[in-house]
Amino acid sequence: MNILGIESSCDDTSAAVLTDKGVQSNVIASQSIHIKFGGVVPELASRAHQKTITQTVEQALKEAEISIEEIDLIAVTQGPGLMGSLLVGLCFAKGLSLSRDIPIVGVNHMDAHIYANFIDEAPEFPFVCLTVSGGHTQLVHVKAAFEHEILGKTRDDAAGEAFDKIGKILGLPYPAGPVMDKLSKDGNPKFHKFPQALLKEGLDFSFSGLKTSALYYLHDKSEDWKKEHLNDVCASISEAITEVLIKKLKRAVQQTGVKSIAIAGGVSANSMLRAKAQKLAEELSLKLHIPHITYCTDNAAMIAITGKMKAELGEFDDLAMRPYASI
Ligand code: KG4
Ligand code: ZN
């Protein structure tokens, strides 16, 4: 089966081709227009998707050396995400489906982050997946394909949002997560102990207190001090975020008794989180699955693989399919 994946839920326009030989192309057009605003501006995002979607899909087909006539299925992000952004991808996919008579399947973006783990080597069910992105932070018990129990989630900010908002306080460009990751590598994670919220309570997360704590900690520091200790502060923030994530993941493993774990979403690209997940897997003798770095942040290959899995279960959609902003 040859699948064309289309993703446009936020500020990345992406198209990918997945065949029986694996991912043949995964083109990601990231929108730089939002940098000067320090966050995604929804109206600008949907306009940018409109401008780039045709060429992104064409590029994905070209790189895969495949024609549209050879595509058997279109998989497209249906939600959650920004309504205007989702509509661009969905309308484009529906138009292509109608004009070329290609079956279509709508994909949940958060499911797709989890199933990005299936692109290279499929994990065995059941497993617990820590899904950490800019909009969500969830611990999901994946019992079978599309049989999910959400064990815990954030009560306020998502982990990626915490990185981005604290990075903004530090004067870093949006999205600050990858920049903080890089700076942390030359910093001391024990430089300052930032709060780790809800550690004694269940499997929910909270990151808004960390943001406030960072704001108070930094407000009377001079620009010179901030410059001198930037790496240490980034490392200490990364330590606080990743420690909470890993401690809760450990608790979820103990609670469910699973033998496999996975991490997914943009924050799963974080080097400190990846290293801590590796350590946890060794400590508890678990099989660890982490997507290749290109499949962690938003991409259409993860949409294609999830569409493929849905199609294999006989799940298809039609042109009446509508986008949804939240889960
Ligand atoms: O999954 P994603 O691409 O989009 C959403 O679905 O939200 O995740 C984006 C989030 C952003 O908050 C970004 O700062 C964060 O993932 N992120 C990282 C890293 N790479 C991306 N956070 C920490 N370290 C990274 N290396
Ligand atoms: Zn995402």
Side-chain angles (χ1 to χ4, degrees):
M1 188 158 41
N2 298 329
I3 302 152
L4 173 66
I6 297 175
E7 152 68 26
S8 71
S9 65
C10 191
D11 58 342
D12 294 304
T13 318
S14 181
V17 173
L18 175 74
T19 70
D20 295 334
K21 291 192 201 121
V23 176
Q24 303 301 307
S25 63
N26 186 33
V27 180
I28 304 168
S30 297
Q31 303 174 357
S32 53
I33 188 156
H34 308 287
I35 294 172
K36 60 175 178 275
F37 299 103
V40 178
V41 183
E43 178 63 21
L44 297 178
S46 52
R47 264 191 248 167
H49 283 304
Q50 274 175 342
K51 268 193 194 153
T52 49
I53 190 136
T54 309
Q55 69 208 55
T56 306
V57 170
E58 277 173 359
Q59 183 68 20
L61 293 169
K62 193 173 159 204
E63 281 181 24
E65 295 179 0
I66 216 166
S67 70
I68 190 70
E69 287 77 24
E70 292 169 278
I71 295 293
D72 305 303
L73 177 72
I74 298 170
V76 60
T77 308
Q78 195 178 354
L82 300 170
M83 201 44 115
S85 292
L86 289 165
L87 271 167
V88 177
L90 202 58
C91 290
F92 186 90
K94 284 184 188 181
L96 210 52
S97 164
L98 181 67
S99 62
R100 302 283 175 161
D101 199 21
I102 305 170
I104 188 167
V105 63
V107 167
N108 177 295
H109 181 88
M110 297 312 293
D111 286 358
H113 274 305
I114 296 174
Y115 294 109
N117 278 290
F118 286 65
I119 292 175
D120 291 324
E121 188 203 354
E124 272 180 33
F125 298 107
F127 62 93
V128 166
C129 185
L130 171 71
T131 317
V132 268
S133 70
H136 297 83
T137 298
Q138 294 177 340
L139 275 164
V140 187
H141 188 186
V142 186
K143 298 174 182 177
F146 305 103
E147 216 181 283
H148 302 168
E149 183 189 352
I150 299 189
L151 304 169
K153 57 183 187 327
T154 185
R155 294 183 185 172
D156 39 60
D157 293 349
E161 198 178 353
F163 271 113
D164 296 341
K165 286 181 175 170
I166 296 169
K168 195 172 179 178
I169 298 170
L170 287 165
L172 301 175
Y174 176 86
V179 187
M180 286 182 76
D181 186 5
K182 217 167 157 198
L183 291 168
S184 297
K185 287 177 187 162
D186 297 317
N188 174 10
K190 307 269 182 262
F191 179 74
H192 181 78
K193 193 164 171 39
F194 285 103
Q196 297 174 20
L198 306 180
L199 272 191
K200 292 194 173 66
E201 278 174 60
L203 294 172
D204 277 350
F205 302 90
S206 168
F207 292 106
S208 64
L210 174 63
K211 183 183 61 192
T212 312
S213 161
L215 193 64
Y216 278 111
Y217 177 68
L218 292 164
H219 92 280
D220 60 353
K221 304 281 191 288
S222 69
E223 286 311 310
D224 283 348
W225 186 95
K226 283 189 209 162
K227 220 179 245 170
E228 191 185 338
H229 297 293
L230 183 61
N231 298 77
D232 293 331
V233 173
C234 285
S236 301
I237 293 288
S238 304
E239 172 76 4
I241 296 174
T242 56
E243 268 302 295
V244 171
L245 294 174
I246 289 298
K247 281 176 184 159
K248 297 269 177 171
L249 176 58
K250 182 175 181 179
R251 185 174 293 166
V253 169
Q254 287 163 339
Q255 202 169 295
T256 54
V258 293
K259 296 276 175 275
S260 296
I261 53 170
I263 59 173
V267 181
S268 67
N270 184 270
S271 53
M272 202 182 270
L273 183 65
R274 289 168 93 94
K276 283 181 199 271
Q278 191 69 49
K279 209 163 148 234
L280 177 69
E282 279 159 25
E283 182 194 328
L284 301 183
S285 303
L286 304 166
K287 177 110 177 85
L288 169 68
H289 299 271
I290 307 182
H292 185 278
I293 207 111
T294 24
Y295 305 136
C296 289
T297 43
D298 290 350
N299 69 89
M302 69 180 193
I303 305 300
I305 186 93
T306 313
K308 180 185 182 199
M309 292 173 72
K310 285 187 88 174
E312 282 168 354
L313 292 171
E315 286 184 36
F316 294 92
D317 286 288
D318 57 32
L319 300 180
M321 164 177 45
R322 298 167 81 95
Y324 47 86
S326 53
I327 299 174

